[in-house]
Every structure is written in structure tokens, then in C-alpha cells.
Amino acid sequence: MIELGQYNHLSVARDTEVGIFLQDEEEQVVLLPGKFIPEGGLEVGDFIDVFVYKDNEGRDIATTQKSKITVDSFALLEVRSVDKFGAFLEMGLDKDLFVPFMEQNKKMQVGEKHVVFMYIDAMTDRLAGSAKLEQFLENEAIDLVEGQT
């Protein structure tokens, strides 16, 4: 299964004018646009590790760019822009991570850095971030003694 917001180890299924279609073991496919194809190219059957996200039209897209964050993890990211819906944080890809205003502790400003948690928004099925970290932390009591691994 191709996982959104994660690195996936996929094989080349076919080459097209717009890029290479990659597939998983279940033969689900995702496009790796031509601009992300490694120098030297890829052949059908080759494997490659790619990060998968949604483009502006809601389609799954693969990239060889390195994301600074993956789904269900935390990272310190810089605010690149703010609009009437929320902030966009630079995560190492052409696409920025959206943090809606309702997921901000205080209004984010361009140039600031914030620790955020990346999740998949249930309503839009897109990657999103939250600066309200408490809801993603576990606060279980565990029995440990000093020096225990």
C-alpha cells in the first residue's frame, strides 16, 4: 500500500512523457514527475525510495526530494507564507505543509520557526500540520529505574 506522507520503496511500472509511474506490491500506482527522475534514469522493474504527497489537484505524487517531516512525527519548520486560511511551512519539498489557524497556538508569522506534528486531515485526505502538540503526545506512567535502557 502506498502511504501518503511517508517514504515508499516502489518499483518502476512504466515510463510516460510526464514522468514515471511507480507501483507497490499491490500494483497501486503513483506518478514520479519527470523533474524528479534521478540522473541516469530508471528502467521498468527498478526500485526507488520516494516521498508521497498530494499535489494542488489532490492527486498522489511521488518525489525524490527529502522531506523534513513525515506523517505522525514532529519537526521544527520555518513559516514560508501566511494566507487567510493558515500558514505554510517549508518542509523540504516544492509543496509546503499547511497549518490551519485552528491548529496554531498563536498566529504564525513568516520567518518564524515552529515545532509541528504532521497528520493526514480526515476531511481533505491531505497532509497538514498542527502546533497544538499536546493532543499527539502520550503521557503514560512507565516503570523505569535509573540507568535502565
Side-chain angles (χ1 to χ4, degrees):
M1 173 181 225
I2 295 175
E3 295 184 72
L4 181 65
Q6 299 288 348
Y7 286 95
N8 295 260
H9 188 66
L10 304 175
S11 65
V12 175
R14 65 185 184 279
D15 193 357
T16 68
E17 288 183 17
V18 294
I20 291 177
F21 281 92
L22 305 172
Q23 69 181 11
D24 63 6
E25 308 82 33
E26 299 165 0
E27 297 187 2
Q28 291 181 308
V29 296
V30 63
L31 175 66
L32 176 67
K35 68 181 182 176
F36 299 126
I37 297 172
E39 205 171 296
L42 294 166
E43 299 292 327
V44 172
D46 287 350
F47 281 86
I48 186 170
D49 292 320
V50 293
F51 184 83
V52 177
Y53 65 96
K54 294 218 182 263
D55 68 6
N56 292 335
E57 296 178 22
R59 298 174 297 205
D60 287 354
I61 295 291
T63 181
T64 52
Q65 293 176 310
K66 301 299 177 199
S67 179
K68 297 176 182 178
I69 188 170
T70 57
V71 165
D72 295 331
S73 69
F74 300 87
L76 179 66
L77 303 177
E78 186 173 337
V79 179
R80 184 176 281 179
S81 66
V82 177
D83 70 9
K84 64 183 179 179
F85 301 107
F88 294 86
L89 282 65
E90 195 279 316
M91 61 185 219
L93 310 178
D94 288 348
K95 179 106 171 145
D96 294 329
L97 180 65
F98 177 62
V99 180
F101 286 125
M102 66 183 207
E103 291 297 332
Q104 298 176 25
N105 292 324
K106 66 177 188 89
K107 188 173 180 183
M108 295 179 173
Q109 303 292 325
V110 173
E112 293 178 342
K113 292 184 179 180
H114 294 270
V115 175
V116 294
F117 180 85
M118 181 192 280
Y119 64 95
I120 299 174
D121 181 72
M123 294 189 67
T124 64
D125 195 37
R126 292 177 184 254
L127 299 176
S130 176
K132 295 183 177 180
L133 307 180
E134 305 78 30
Q135 62 188 323
F136 304 106
L137 298 173
E138 294 178 16
N139 192 12
E140 289 182 18
I142 55 175
D143 296 322
L144 297 175
V145 295
E146 188 174 327
Q148 181 179 351
T149 302

mmCIF file of all heavy atoms in Angstrom, residues 76-82 87-90 104-116:
data_model
loop_
_atom_site.group_PDB
_atom_site.id
_atom_site.type_symbol
_atom_site.label_atom_id
_atom_site.label_comp_id
_atom_site.label_asym_id
_atom_site.label_seq_id
_atom_site.Cartn_x
_atom_site.Cartn_y
_atom_site.Cartn_z
ATOM 1 N N LEU A 76 10.856 20.834 13.490
ATOM 2 C CA LEU A 76 10.940 22.288 13.582
ATOM 3 C C LEU A 76 10.998 22.826 12.159
ATOM 4 O O LEU A 76 11.956 22.553 11.427
ATOM 5 C CB LEU A 76 12.190 22.700 14.360
ATOM 6 C CG LEU A 76 12.433 24.203 14.520
ATOM 7 C CD1 LEU A 76 11.341 24.832 15.385
ATOM 8 C CD2 LEU A 76 13.809 24.451 15.115
ATOM 9 N N LEU A 77 9.966 23.558 11.747
ATOM 10 C CA LEU A 77 9.861 24.057 10.382
ATOM 11 C C LEU A 77 9.667 25.575 10.378
ATOM 12 O O LEU A 77 9.090 26.141 11.301
ATOM 13 C CB LEU A 77 8.689 23.394 9.651
ATOM 14 C CG LEU A 77 8.701 21.864 9.580
ATOM 15 C CD1 LEU A 77 7.427 21.362 8.896
ATOM 16 C CD2 LEU A 77 9.932 21.358 8.860
ATOM 17 N N GLU A 78 10.120 26.202 9.299
ATOM 18 C CA GLU A 78 10.010 27.653 9.159
ATOM 19 C C GLU A 78 8.778 28.035 8.346
ATOM 20 O O GLU A 78 8.471 27.407 7.326
ATOM 21 C CB GLU A 78 11.255 28.210 8.474
ATOM 22 C CG GLU A 78 11.276 29.722 8.418
ATOM 23 C CD GLU A 78 12.591 30.272 7.897
ATOM 24 O OE1 GLU A 78 13.624 29.577 7.979
ATOM 25 O OE2 GLU A 78 12.582 31.424 7.420
ATOM 26 N N VAL A 79 8.103 29.102 8.795
ATOM 27 C CA VAL A 79 6.914 29.612 8.102
ATOM 28 C C VAL A 79 7.368 30.329 6.836
ATOM 29 O O VAL A 79 8.167 31.251 6.883
ATOM 30 C CB VAL A 79 6.105 30.570 8.999
ATOM 31 C CG1 VAL A 79 4.883 31.112 8.245
ATOM 32 C CG2 VAL A 79 5.689 29.879 10.288
ATOM 33 N N ARG A 80 6.846 29.875 5.702
ATOM 34 C CA ARG A 80 7.198 30.470 4.416
ATOM 35 C C ARG A 80 6.184 31.535 4.000
ATOM 36 O O ARG A 80 6.540 32.557 3.430
ATOM 37 C CB ARG A 80 7.285 29.381 3.344
ATOM 38 C CG ARG A 80 7.753 29.917 2.001
ATOM 39 C CD ARG A 80 7.916 28.836 0.990
ATOM 40 N NE ARG A 80 9.191 28.148 1.233
ATOM 41 C CZ ARG A 80 9.608 27.128 0.518
ATOM 42 N NH1 ARG A 80 8.877 26.647 -0.450
ATOM 43 N NH2 ARG A 80 10.766 26.571 0.768
ATOM 44 N N SER A 81 4.897 31.281 4.279
ATOM 45 C CA SER A 81 3.864 32.259 3.922
ATOM 46 C C SER A 81 2.633 32.046 4.800
ATOM 47 O O SER A 81 2.472 31.004 5.421
ATOM 48 C CB SER A 81 3.485 32.154 2.438
ATOM 49 O OG SER A 81 2.866 30.911 2.169
ATOM 50 N N VAL A 82 1.777 33.079 4.826
ATOM 51 C CA VAL A 82 0.529 33.023 5.581
ATOM 52 C C VAL A 82 -0.559 33.591 4.677
ATOM 53 O O VAL A 82 -0.341 34.590 3.992
ATOM 54 C CB VAL A 82 0.618 33.860 6.885
ATOM 55 C CG1 VAL A 82 -0.699 33.851 7.634
ATOM 56 C CG2 VAL A 82 1.750 33.351 7.768
ATOM 57 N N ALA A 87 -1.100 28.974 7.754
ATOM 58 C CA ALA A 87 0.316 29.185 7.432
ATOM 59 C C ALA A 87 0.847 28.009 6.621
ATOM 60 O O ALA A 87 0.349 26.888 6.716
ATOM 61 C CB ALA A 87 1.117 29.334 8.719
ATOM 62 N N PHE A 88 1.882 28.286 5.845
ATOM 63 C CA PHE A 88 2.540 27.271 5.039
ATOM 64 C C PHE A 88 3.998 27.197 5.474
ATOM 65 O O PHE A 88 4.711 28.194 5.413
ATOM 66 C CB PHE A 88 2.425 27.605 3.546
ATOM 67 C CG PHE A 88 1.008 27.536 3.057
ATOM 68 C CD1 PHE A 88 0.165 28.634 3.171
ATOM 69 C CD2 PHE A 88 0.510 26.361 2.517
ATOM 70 C CE1 PHE A 88 -1.153 28.569 2.740
ATOM 71 C CE2 PHE A 88 -0.816 26.289 2.081
ATOM 72 C CZ PHE A 88 -1.646 27.387 2.198
ATOM 73 N N LEU A 89 4.412 26.015 5.916
ATOM 74 C CA LEU A 89 5.748 25.823 6.461
ATOM 75 C C LEU A 89 6.613 25.040 5.486
ATOM 76 O O LEU A 89 6.141 24.068 4.869
ATOM 77 C CB LEU A 89 5.685 25.091 7.806
ATOM 78 C CG LEU A 89 5.278 25.960 9.008
ATOM 79 C CD1 LEU A 89 3.866 26.482 8.896
ATOM 80 C CD2 LEU A 89 5.453 25.187 10.291
ATOM 81 N N GLU A 90 7.861 25.449 5.361
ATOM 82 C CA GLU A 90 8.816 24.824 4.435
ATOM 83 C C GLU A 90 9.224 23.474 5.002
ATOM 84 O O GLU A 90 9.724 23.375 6.112
ATOM 85 C CB GLU A 90 10.033 25.741 4.272
ATOM 86 C CG GLU A 90 10.921 25.394 3.096
ATOM 87 C CD GLU A 90 11.867 24.254 3.391
ATOM 88 O OE1 GLU A 90 12.473 24.228 4.467
ATOM 89 O OE2 GLU A 90 11.984 23.374 2.526
ATOM 90 N N GLN A 104 -3.025 26.283 15.297
ATOM 91 C CA GLN A 104 -1.910 27.128 15.744
ATOM 92 C C GLN A 104 -2.165 27.595 17.175
ATOM 93 O O GLN A 104 -3.290 27.975 17.503
ATOM 94 C CB GLN A 104 -1.757 28.345 14.824
ATOM 95 C CG GLN A 104 -1.440 27.981 13.393
ATOM 96 C CD GLN A 104 -1.378 29.194 12.473
ATOM 97 O OE1 GLN A 104 -1.120 30.308 12.908
ATOM 98 N NE2 GLN A 104 -1.611 28.969 11.191
ATOM 99 N N ASN A 105 -1.143 27.572 18.003
ATOM 100 C CA ASN A 105 -1.250 28.085 19.370
ATOM 101 C C ASN A 105 -1.324 29.605 19.365
ATOM 102 O O ASN A 105 -2.001 30.206 20.185
ATOM 103 C CB ASN A 105 -0.055 27.645 20.212
ATOM 104 C CG ASN A 105 -0.073 26.162 20.461
ATOM 105 O OD1 ASN A 105 -1.126 25.568 20.630
ATOM 106 N ND2 ASN A 105 1.090 25.549 20.471
ATOM 107 N N LYS A 106 -0.560 30.213 18.468
ATOM 108 C CA LYS A 106 -0.596 31.651 18.246
ATOM 109 C C LYS A 106 -0.432 31.845 16.746
ATOM 110 O O LYS A 106 0.086 30.965 16.058
ATOM 111 C CB LYS A 106 0.511 32.371 19.028
ATOM 112 C CG LYS A 106 1.923 32.033 18.578
ATOM 113 C CD LYS A 106 2.939 32.847 19.370
ATOM 114 C CE LYS A 106 4.325 32.673 18.812
ATOM 115 N NZ LYS A 106 4.689 33.610 17.780
ATOM 116 N N LYS A 107 -0.874 32.981 16.243
ATOM 117 C CA LYS A 107 -0.800 33.214 14.802
ATOM 118 C C LYS A 107 0.657 33.181 14.338
ATOM 119 O O LYS A 107 1.503 33.911 14.846
ATOM 120 C CB LYS A 107 -1.447 34.547 14.435
ATOM 121 C CG LYS A 107 -1.573 34.736 12.943
ATOM 122 C CD LYS A 107 -2.362 35.969 12.582
ATOM 123 C CE LYS A 107 -2.424 36.078 11.066
ATOM 124 N NZ LYS A 107 -3.109 37.259 10.615
ATOM 125 N N MET A 108 0.933 32.317 13.393
ATOM 126 C CA MET A 108 2.292 32.170 12.871
ATOM 127 C C MET A 108 2.620 33.310 11.922
ATOM 128 O O MET A 108 1.748 33.779 11.177
ATOM 129 C CB MET A 108 2.431 30.823 12.148
ATOM 130 C CG MET A 108 2.285 29.634 13.049
ATOM 131 S SD MET A 108 2.429 28.082 12.121
ATOM 132 C CE MET A 108 2.421 26.905 13.459
ATOM 133 N N GLN A 109 3.888 33.729 11.942
ATOM 134 C CA GLN A 109 4.366 34.814 11.091
ATOM 135 C C GLN A 109 5.497 34.307 10.201
ATOM 136 O O GLN A 109 6.272 33.427 10.601
ATOM 137 C CB GLN A 109 4.891 35.975 11.953
ATOM 138 C CG GLN A 109 3.882 36.529 12.934
ATOM 139 C CD GLN A 109 2.730 37.236 12.254
ATOM 140 O OE1 GLN A 109 2.891 37.885 11.232
ATOM 141 N NE2 GLN A 109 1.541 37.094 12.820
ATOM 142 N N VAL A 110 5.612 34.869 9.005
ATOM 143 C CA VAL A 110 6.666 34.493 8.058
ATOM 144 C C VAL A 110 8.029 34.641 8.728
ATOM 145 O O VAL A 110 8.301 35.639 9.395
ATOM 146 C CB VAL A 110 6.588 35.360 6.784
ATOM 147 C CG1 VAL A 110 7.777 35.098 5.868
ATOM 148 C CG2 VAL A 110 5.276 35.098 6.040
ATOM 149 N N GLY A 111 8.867 33.626 8.555
ATOM 150 C CA GLY A 111 10.216 33.635 9.113
ATOM 151 C C GLY A 111 10.338 32.966 10.468
ATOM 152 O O GLY A 111 11.434 32.583 10.869
ATOM 153 N N GLU A 112 9.228 32.817 11.187
ATOM 154 C CA GLU A 112 9.269 32.140 12.480
ATOM 155 C C GLU A 112 9.462 30.639 12.275
ATOM 156 O O GLU A 112 9.106 30.093 11.232
ATOM 157 C CB GLU A 112 7.964 32.342 13.260
ATOM 158 C CG GLU A 112 7.714 33.739 13.714
ATOM 159 C CD GLU A 112 6.377 33.879 14.434
ATOM 160 O OE1 GLU A 112 5.494 33.003 14.294
ATOM 161 O OE2 GLU A 112 6.214 34.892 15.126
ATOM 162 N N LYS A 113 10.006 29.993 13.300
ATOM 163 C CA LYS A 113 10.132 28.534 13.288
ATOM 164 C C LYS A 113 9.236 27.969 14.376
ATOM 165 O O LYS A 113 9.177 28.528 15.479
ATOM 166 C CB LYS A 113 11.581 28.114 13.499
ATOM 167 C CG LYS A 113 12.471 28.479 12.329
ATOM 168 C CD LYS A 113 13.864 27.958 12.516
ATOM 169 C CE LYS A 113 14.700 28.339 11.281
ATOM 170 N NZ LYS A 113 16.069 27.864 11.388
ATOM 171 N N HIS A 114 8.550 26.878 14.039
ATOM 172 C CA HIS A 114 7.623 26.247 14.977
ATOM 173 C C HIS A 114 7.789 24.734 14.929
ATOM 174 O O HIS A 114 8.001 24.161 13.852
ATOM 175 C CB HIS A 114 6.167 26.591 14.620
ATOM 176 C CG HIS A 114 5.834 28.027 14.783
ATOM 177 N ND1 HIS A 114 5.344 28.543 15.960
ATOM 178 C CD2 HIS A 114 5.933 29.069 13.919
ATOM 179 C CE1 HIS A 114 5.153 29.846 15.805
ATOM 180 N NE2 HIS A 114 5.503 30.187 14.578
ATOM 181 N N VAL A 115 7.648 24.108 16.093
ATOM 182 C CA VAL A 115 7.585 22.648 16.135
ATOM 183 C C VAL A 115 6.152 22.276 15.783
ATOM 184 O O VAL A 115 5.194 22.790 16.374
ATOM 185 C CB VAL A 115 7.955 22.098 17.527
ATOM 186 C CG1 VAL A 115 7.752 20.588 17.572
ATOM 187 C CG2 VAL A 115 9.392 22.455 17.876
ATOM 188 N N VAL A 116 6.018 21.400 14.791
ATOM 189 C CA VAL A 116 4.694 20.963 14.355
ATOM 190 C C VAL A 116 4.656 19.442 14.243
ATOM 191 O O VAL A 116 5.693 18.783 14.120
ATOM 192 C CB VAL A 116 4.281 21.593 13.006
ATOM 193 C CG1 VAL A 116 4.095 23.091 13.130
ATOM 194 C CG2 VAL A 116 5.265 21.250 11.917
#
